[in-house]
Amino acid sequence: MLDVVCGALIIDGKVLIAKRSHGASIGKFEFPGGKVEPGETRKEALIREMKEECQIDIEQVEFLQESVDENQNVHLTCFTCTAKEKPTKLLVHSEYIWTTPDHIYDHDFFETDRLLVEKLQERWSCLNEPKKPKS
């Protein structure tokens, strides 16, 4: 089974979704991410993938939900994260959209990610509360 990670990047009360620019699923929206490489933890893989795909350093990386797609033989782990800056370069995707979990499916988002989106909707209000500085 292919081990894949993705990140629900949350900045200014919105979550980033990205449009695929290649492959069999061209035109579909997804949370950015990619394959876990040998020797990497899933969290390390997401940090690397967001740097490669979005040219940003993410922080506050927290587990959100796992999903298994038996048809595609994929195990997907989703994390929430934030960053000090928004991605500005399109390296892997053809478009970025900032939305809320309630409006993700206004776009052609992967139906197989519904479990991840539902979990994001459940946690949305607490994810948008201002973080208190650690003392």
Side-chain angles (χ1 to χ4, degrees):
M1 186 157 290
L2 190 59
D3 197 5
V4 178
V5 293
C6 65
L9 177 63
I10 301 166
I11 299 177
D12 298 332
K14 301 271 177 126
V15 63
L16 178 75
I17 58 174
K19 191 176 194 179
R20 282 200 177 183
S21 63
H22 63 280
S25 301
I26 191 168
K28 286 282 203 182
F29 281 90
E30 64 186 351
F31 295 122
K35 297 174 190 154
V36 178
E37 293 182 356
E40 268 183 329
T41 66
R42 290 180 174 121
K43 190 182 273 191
E44 289 169 341
L46 180 64
I47 291 167
R48 176 187 50 76
E49 287 286 347
M50 293 297 272
K51 183 72 168 178
E52 289 174 4
E53 290 187 7
C54 299
Q55 299 291 290
I56 59 167
D57 294 313
I58 58 172
E59 49 193 42
Q60 298 178 5
V61 181
E62 297 178 20
F63 173 80
L64 178 67
Q65 183 69 41
E66 291 178 312
S67 177
V68 175
D69 184 341
E70 298 289 345
N71 295 330
Q72 299 294 320
N73 201 30
V74 172
H75 178 267
L76 179 62
T77 304
C78 186
F79 296 88
T80 59
C81 55
T82 190
K84 289 185 171 77
E85 58 190 2
K86 291 182 177 182
T88 56
K89 293 182 182 176
L90 295 168
L91 301 175
V92 176
H93 297 93
S94 62
E95 183 179 358
Y96 292 143
I97 290 180
W98 292 93
T99 187
T100 61
D102 291 337
H103 292 283
I104 281 178
Y105 287 103
D106 292 354
H107 310 283
D108 193 11
F109 200 82
F110 281 104
E111 185 64 27
T112 54
D113 291 345
R114 187 164 290 280
L115 184 62
L116 308 178
V117 174
E118 288 172 0
K119 189 60 147 186
L120 186 60
Q121 287 171 327
E122 285 174 21
R123 297 205 27 222
W124 190 247
S125 61
C126 66
L127 290 170
N128 281 300
E129 291 174 1
K131 303 278 187 206
K132 294 181 182 175
K134 293 181 181 176
S135 340

